[in-house]
Amino acid sequence: MAENQYLKVIHRHFYMKRAEIMAQCEGWICDIQQYSSDKRVGRTMSHHAAALKRHTAQLREELLKLPCPDGLEPDGEEFSEKSASLMVKELPGQDAEKQTDSPDTHSFTEHVTNYKEALSQAKTRYYSTLISNQQKHPKLLFSTINCLLHPPDATKPSDAADLCSRFLDFFQQNVDTIHQQLQSPGLSPCPTLPQQDSHHSAARSPQCCLSTFSPLDADQVTKLVISAKTSTSSLDPMPTTKVKACLPILCHPMENIINKSLASGVVPSSFKMVAVIPTLKKPGSDPDDPNNYRPISNLPFLSKILEIAVAAQLQYHMSHHELFEPLQSGFRTHHSTETVLIKITNDLLLAADNGLITFLILLDLSAAFNTVSHTILLHHLSELISLSGSALSWFRNKTELKVVATAPLLRKVGDLALVVDGCYISPSPEVRNLGVILDSTLSFRSHINNITKSAICHLRNIS
């Protein structure tokens, strides 16, 4: 009995509200059709509007079949007229659009849609193949992903006549200023070595002295050229791709040039010329301010091959005689920033587990490579690595402090600070070390949130 009463109430409600239901459905259709002209979502919205129209028409047929409940006056004809007028109602201008549509317009729209889909699929296949082929080359893989997620900034500096000279003077003054600040009356340009250095004691023995470089044969030169990047400097007489294509002919002259440089300990003057390209540090910076640029030096291709040959022999010498610093990760095989971060994080966690407080001091060396003194470099190559003869002749600060410990211990000790070289340094809530954000408890919460936010943004850009 109760069920029958409930059905009657539902029946009466739908019968009385059927005109409002139809009006609501038509309102939804009109709202969706407003986006049909949008280039991004118009096609999808048109499909949704068409589907909703079909369901609305079916709903109208079912509502017309409802019998009039007891106690109400029949209004079937009135509802039929109202609902019919709603069904034929169109948006303003929609009839005009239909009249102006022609077979050519539909054909053009279809061709444009097919072109966009084909272009998207081609890009997907290209980048998928490129990424798949670079699985075993992390450096190239990172470069590809970085170019895909960070397109080059199109901002260009003004066409001032003295722009090149201003950039040159600015970078030269920066280097001169850094070297002047490094020179101090109390410091010797060639610091003396410690009296007891067990790690480098073997370096001064005659058995591990590197006085000459070994000459390269044709196969070694060919391997170096093929494995080198195909980037071309503006100082190169011909593109690198052409050099690699003509390698069977050019290999012998290149071998002679490289071996004469290694044997004499002299680098050709043309190999010392570099093309300096100013690059914006951050996208969106003022392109006319030299402070916003970093200089990128681009050597000639053959000069790069000569450097790679020397670096390979020098690294073999240092590795064979165990001359690398025990904790050095830069410029070493099977070492990278990852090994540094693992070592630091492991030491911090072990100290925290033992109830210790760790002070992590991070030094940001501005223009680090520009601060290298050539005199000190040659002195270290001679005394620490035992280079001599033609091999040696060939070569002729923001600070942050982070306190790391367990959360209860940090709350117990309160605020901590250090005085370094007369400067008061208070701990930072978070610090960035080699791209990784570290907090006081090594939870990596901020680093994970930052990566997730960045990943979502990049996925939206490439979708």
Side-chain angles (χ1 to χ4, degrees):
M1 186 67 180
E3 183 178 355
N4 292 335
Q5 293 295 331
Y6 177 75
L7 292 176
K8 290 181 179 180
V9 172
I10 296 297
H11 179 197
R12 178 182 292 268
H13 175 78
F14 270 92
Y15 189 86
M16 296 174 61
K17 296 291 184 179
R18 53 184 178 169
E20 296 181 19
I21 294 174
M22 290 299 301
Q24 181 65 58
C25 291
E26 291 301 322
W28 291 338
I29 294 174
C30 292
D31 291 340
I32 294 176
Q33 286 179 334
Q34 290 179 358
Y35 297 96
S36 59
S37 59
D38 193 319
K39 295 181 179 180
R40 297 173 298 175
V41 297
R43 189 178 181 185
T44 302
M45 287 302 186
S46 298
H47 287 310
H48 291 336
L52 186 56
K53 282 184 178 181
R54 290 195 302 270
H55 294 305
T56 303
Q58 295 175 1
L59 177 62
R60 175 177 176 271
E61 297 297 328
E62 294 298 327
L63 293 176
L64 284 172
K65 296 177 182 178
L66 287 177
C68 179
D70 297 337
L72 296 179
E73 295 182 0
D75 60 349
E77 295 182 359
E78 182 181 357
F79 170 73
S80 178
E81 293 178 358
K82 288 184 178 180
S83 60
S85 64
L86 289 173
M87 290 298 296
V88 299
K89 183 179 179 181
E90 300 287 351
L91 288 176
Q94 192 168 0
D95 291 336
E97 290 179 3
K98 288 186 176 181
Q99 294 176 3
T100 57
D101 285 348
S102 64
D104 293 339
T105 304
H106 288 295
S107 178
F108 172 76
T109 304
E110 184 178 357
H111 278 82
V112 171
T113 303
N114 294 336
Y115 166 76
K116 291 181 178 179
E117 291 180 353
L119 183 63
S120 177
Q121 293 175 2
K123 286 183 177 179
T124 301
R125 288 195 300 268
Y126 170 76
Y127 284 112
S128 298
T129 304
L130 195 62
I131 293 173
S132 177
N133 293 338
Q134 295 176 354
Q135 292 292 335
K136 297 182 179 180
H137 304 281
K139 188 175 182 180
L140 296 177
L141 179 61
F142 175 81
S143 178
T144 301
I145 298 297
N146 190 51
C147 292
L148 182 62
L149 300 181
H150 302 280
D153 188 32
T155 307
K156 301 293 183 182
S158 59
D159 296 331
D162 62 338
L163 185 62
C164 183
S165 299
R166 286 196 289 114
F167 272 113
L168 181 61
D169 294 339
F170 173 78
F171 293 137
Q172 185 63 44
Q173 290 175 3
N174 274 356
V175 175
D176 293 341
T177 302
I178 290 173
H179 282 282
Q180 289 175 4
Q181 293 174 350
L182 289 177
Q183 293 176 358
S184 175
L187 295 177
S188 172
C190 293
T192 57
L193 296 173
Q195 295 298 325
Q196 294 181 352
D197 188 352
S198 58
H199 179 69
H200 293 290
S201 59
R204 290 185 288 270
S205 62
Q207 291 78 7
C208 66
C209 181
L210 178 62
S211 58
T212 58
F213 290 116
S214 302
L216 304 184
D217 55 27
D219 291 338
Q220 291 175 317
V221 173
T222 301
K223 184 177 180 181
L224 290 178
V225 173
I226 292 177
S227 61
K229 288 185 177 180
T230 55
S231 57
T232 302
S233 171
S234 59
L235 301 174
D236 287 325
M238 61 186 300
T240 304
T241 53
K242 297 297 183 182
V243 174
K244 291 188 175 184
C246 303
L247 188 56
I249 302 174
L250 299 177
C251 181
H252 184 65
M254 294 171 65
E255 178 188 353
N256 290 337
I257 294 173
I258 293 174
N259 287 335
K260 286 184 178 180
S261 176
L262 296 178
S264 62
V266 177
V267 180
S269 57
S270 59
F271 285 15
K272 300 178 184 179
M273 297 290 292
V274 296
V276 180
I277 304 175
T279 305
L280 274 176
K281 297 178 181 178
K282 294 182 180 179
S285 304
D286 183 6
D288 291 325
D289 187 1
N291 288 290
N292 295 330
Y293 287 84
R294 63 166 54 92
I296 305 298
S297 299
N298 196 355
L299 286 167
F301 179 71
L302 191 54
S303 178
K304 296 177 184 177
I305 300 300
L306 178 59
E307 281 194 351
I308 294 174
V310 171
Q313 296 192 34
L314 183 61
Q315 288 182 344
Y316 174 79
H317 168 75
M318 296 181 64
S319 176
H320 182 70
H321 297 286
E322 299 182 354
L323 300 179
F324 281 110
E325 292 291 340
L327 299 181
Q328 177 182 340
S329 287
F331 308 101
R332 291 185 68 180
T333 306
H334 308 303
H335 290 72
S336 63
T337 54
E338 184 178 353
T339 56
V340 177
L341 291 170
I342 291 175
K343 171 64 176 175
I344 294 175
T345 306
N346 183 65
D347 291 345
L348 293 175
L349 291 174
L350 290 177
D353 290 342
N354 292 328
L356 302 177
I357 299 176
T358 305
F359 288 83
L360 178 63
I361 301 178
L362 303 176
L363 301 177
D364 184 9
L365 300 177
S366 60
F369 287 98
N370 292 337
T371 61
V372 176
S373 171
H374 201 231
T375 304
I376 298 177
L377 174 62
L378 292 176
H379 179 265
H380 280 27
L381 288 175
S382 174
E383 296 296 331
L384 298 182
I385 307 180
S386 295
L387 261 66
S388 62
S390 61
L392 181 62
S393 300
W394 194 93
F395 286 95
R396 301 264 208 238
N397 291 326
K398 174 183 172 184
T399 305
E400 283 188 301
L401 170 66
K402 184 73 216 162
V403 179
V404 181
T406 59
L409 189 56
L410 286 174
R411 289 193 295 267
K412 184 183 299 184
V413 298
D415 295 333
L416 296 173
L418 285 180
V419 178
V420 179
D421 197 18
C423 298
Y424 180 83
I425 306 175
S426 58
S428 302
E430 295 175 351
V431 295
R432 185 183 294 271
N433 183 27
L434 298 176
V436 177
I437 302 175
L438 302 176
D439 53 54
S440 298
T441 58
L442 295 180
S443 66
F444 295 100
R445 185 176 293 108
S446 298
H447 184 69
I448 295 173
N449 292 338
N450 185 63
I451 290 180
T452 304
K453 181 179 179 181
S454 178
I456 292 174
C457 179
H458 291 321
L459 288 174
R460 289 177 177 173
N461 289 337
I462 64 177
S463 62

